[in-house]
Every structure is written in C-alpha cells, then in structure tokens.
Amino acid sequence: MKKGFTLLEMLAVIVVISILSLIILPNITGQFADKKEEISKVSQKIILSAAELYANETGNTYQTITINDLVEAGKLEQPIIDQKTGKEIPLTKEISIDASGNACIVGIDGCGKITYKQYKNGEIVYFNPVKGKKCGDYNETNSTTGTNSGCMKWYAFNDNDKSSTVNVILDHNTTTGVIYNSTGNNSEMKEVKTRLENGTKDWNNDLNPRLIEANEIAKITGHPTFDASKENQEWFYLDSNNQTQTASSTNKSTYAWLFDYTDGCTNYGCNKTDLITRGYWTSTPNKSNASEVWVVTNCSNLSVNAVVVNGISTIGVRPVITISKSKLS
C-alpha cells in the first residue's frame, strides 16, 4: 500500500510553491502592467498625432487645446479610452502645441500649458505682412499713407492672455480717401472692400485683413454704454467717451495711436501729421441712418460719415490683422 505525503513533505511543497510565487507572480504582474502602459502610450500617440494634424491644417500653433477641440474638429472620435486605467480620457484633458506644431499632453513627461503674453492697448508691434514675420525697428518711410508692404508699425488692441492670437491695427492708412459704397447704402462695403482687398492681396494668407469695428473702438476707450448695433448712438471723443474733448497740448491724447492728425501737438493729441486723409472707415454701419458709417476721425473721435460725399471722400482704409503670438515671440 502506498503511503500519503507526510506533514513535513506537504509543508516543504507549500514552502517551495510560496517561493516560486514570490519570484514568478511579480514578473507576470509587471508584464501585464508593461503591456497596459504600452497600450496607453499608443493612445497618447493617437491623441498627439491628431493634435499635430489639427495644428498643421489650421495653423493654430503655440496654444493649449483640449481633447474636445480635437473631437469637434473631427480629428478624434469619442470616447477615447486610456487602456492603462480602462477609463475614458476626459474631454477637458489639455494638449499643448508649440510654435513648430509639436504636441504634448499636459501633465505627462513634464509637459506644461502654454501661456500667452497679454498685449496692452496701443503696444507697438513691428511686423511685415507680406512675409508674415516679425521685423526689426520701425522705419518712418514705411509709415506713410498708401504704404502696404515692408516692415510696418502696428498697435495691439483688446487682447487677453488666454488668446493665442492678437489683433493689431496699422499705424497708417493703406489708401487715400475712398468712398464706402457708391450705391449710397451702408449695407455693403463696395469701394472700401475692393481697396482693402487690392491693398492687401500680397499679404500672408492667414492674417485675415479687415476693418476695425466701432464697438472695438468703444471697448479700447472703455466706453460704458456705446453699442453700434443699436440705434441713436452718439458720437464721442476717444479720451472722454462724450462730446467734450479732454486731451490738450499738455494733456496728450491717450489714443493718439488710433488717429493721424497732429500738426504739432494740438488739443487732438500728439501723433504724426497726415493731411492726406481725415480718418478711416470702420466696418460698422450707422443703425440710425442707412447712408452713414462709423469712422475714426483725425480729430480723435468716433463719429458717423456719409457713405457717399459727392462721389469723393477723405476717409481711408486702415487694416486690422490677426497675428499668431508664436510669430511675435
């Protein structure tokens, strides 16, 4: 008859099995963990590839976006599962894209959010719109009425530190006087639109040249009630937000960078002299009169001007462009 295992033999087997478990199980667990980590990294690569494709196609670099931005842009499908945790990756998860279009996931491998400089109203930017690049010191010969190429002087306005782009307005008109629309109706920028397009046709495609809006001027000056989308809005001096001028030769206009006339230092401020034009058009019609449009005048005010003045006008075109802050860093 066969004998069974003795107690001592069974204890010995248990000890051996325990030792083997201590050796083998961590390796197996580690292999599973490594496999999950590997799959998780694949998910990361998919996200980063989508972000870099998004940046390449849209030109939206030097910013922090979210998974949701990629989903809305059609670059990723929802839900996106982190295979390491088995949980869905939140749509709020952030991805930073640098100026070269390279992406990283915030919080992974030291990746941090991209922060943006906030430009003050009137802060000077030197930029060549044809080359689409930041340029050197301001050259006075490139700041005369009618100039639309080369290194030119621009002024930032209404910026915030959460935006990857900044709007800037040129410091001079690219055209001499041009009527707004020869049909006499402010609903269409016929002549102005043509002159704007012709004057900026050689500029970099992603700058989106346009005219400034009347409400943007009101925001720059901190006007508390002006709203050009409503009727019966009154004109105002930029420095006082009413019809009383406060700037003088000793109290210079804070907003001289928004207009051109000085003839020395007058009560209109101290900016460069430009007697060729008497202001520039905004893109905003006067809701109270179908034959008028809001303009920034050379007397430091926002007021209305007739769309057609006997077929002539002294109001010019001053472009606004949108620049990626990555191009200015």
Side-chain angles (χ1 to χ4, degrees):
M1 179 181 291
K2 292 184 178 179
K3 294 182 179 180
F5 291 107
T6 66
L7 178 62
L8 183 61
E9 289 172 332
M10 291 180 66
L11 288 174
V13 171
I14 291 172
V15 169
V16 171
I17 292 174
S18 298
I19 293 173
L20 290 174
S21 297
L22 290 174
I23 296 172
I24 296 172
L25 286 178
N27 289 335
I28 295 174
T29 303
Q31 288 175 7
F32 277 117
D34 290 344
K35 190 62 177 177
K36 284 188 175 182
E37 180 69 22
E38 180 182 337
I39 297 173
S40 181
K41 287 183 177 179
V42 170
S43 298
Q44 292 175 24
K45 288 180 180 178
I46 292 173
I47 294 170
L48 296 179
S49 295
E52 290 173 359
L53 180 62
Y54 166 85
N56 181 60
E57 291 184 356
T58 63
N60 294 330
T61 58
Y62 193 62
Q63 65 170 324
T64 299
I65 62 173
T66 64
I67 293 287
N68 188 59
D69 293 324
L70 296 177
V71 171
E72 290 185 346
K75 304 305 177 188
L76 282 178
E77 292 186 1
Q78 189 184 3
I80 304 158
I81 305 300
D82 183 343
Q83 298 298 330
K84 183 178 180 181
T85 63
K87 296 180 180 180
E88 182 177 345
I89 300 175
L91 292 177
T92 54
K93 188 64 178 175
E94 294 173 318
I95 304 111
S96 286
I97 305 174
D98 66 19
S100 299
N102 300 314
C104 63
I105 300 176
V106 175
I108 296 178
D109 296 331
C111 177
K113 291 178 64 174
I114 290 176
T115 56
Y116 310 111
K117 173 182 176 178
Q118 182 171 4
Y119 288 82
K120 298 178 181 178
N121 280 341
E123 184 170 347
I124 297 172
V125 170
Y126 299 109
F127 192 78
N128 186 321
V130 176
K131 294 182 177 180
K133 294 181 178 180
K134 179 181 177 181
C135 54
D137 293 337
Y138 172 58
N139 185 337
E140 183 67 31
T141 60
N142 285 334
S143 191
T144 55
T145 298
T147 302
N148 58 10
S149 63
C151 184
M152 296 190 289
K153 187 177 183 180
W154 306 76
Y155 297 103
F157 65 90
N158 295 343
D159 186 37
N160 67 75
D161 59 3
K162 294 180 177 61
S163 176
S164 62
T165 60
V166 59
N167 289 323
V168 296
I169 185 168
L170 193 58
D171 81 327
H172 64 274
N173 293 354
T174 54
T175 73
T176 53
V178 54
I179 58 176
Y180 195 81
N181 183 1
S182 58
T183 66
N185 193 309
N186 65 20
S187 63
E188 180 186 0
M189 300 187 303
K190 188 176 181 181
E191 277 75 15
V192 165
K193 182 179 180 181
T194 298
R195 293 286 287 276
L196 175 65
E197 290 175 349
N198 288 343
T200 61
K201 63 183 179 181
D202 295 326
W203 291 10
N204 194 269
N205 291 332
D206 62 357
L207 298 177
N208 302 314
R210 62 177 178 87
L211 301 184
I212 199 167
E213 299 173 5
N215 280 353
E216 288 180 307
I217 296 292
K219 183 177 180 180
I220 291 169
T221 65
H223 197 297
T225 60
F226 182 87
D227 184 354
S229 68
K230 299 177 180 179
E231 294 185 352
N232 303 317
Q233 299 299 299
E234 295 186 347
W235 71 271
F236 61 89
Y237 281 111
L238 304 184
D239 283 279
S240 61
N241 285 328
N242 56 48
Q243 295 177 5
T244 302
Q245 179 62 282
T246 58
S248 67
S249 58
T250 55
N251 179 24
K252 301 175 184 179
S253 173
T254 302
Y255 306 102
W257 53 276
L258 278 174
F259 60 95
D260 272 337
Y261 182 78
T262 58
D263 193 20
C265 281
T266 71
N267 61 329
Y268 300 129
C270 293
N271 200 13
K272 63 184 177 55
T273 302
D274 181 1
L275 299 179
I276 299 176
T277 56
R278 297 288 178 173
Y280 54 90
W281 299 101
T282 75
S283 62
T284 309
N286 179 13
K287 289 293 183 180
S288 301
N289 191 325
S291 65
E292 293 178 340
V293 173
W294 290 97
V295 300
V296 177
T297 76
N298 57 1
C299 296
S300 182
N301 61 45
L302 179 70
S303 60
V304 291
N305 198 83
V307 174
V308 179
V309 183
N310 298 323
I312 61 173
S313 177
T314 58
I315 309 300
V317 172
R318 181 167 304 196
V320 167
I321 58 175
T322 301
I323 307 175
S324 170
K325 290 180 180 178
S326 64
K327 294 183 177 181
L328 301 176
S329 60

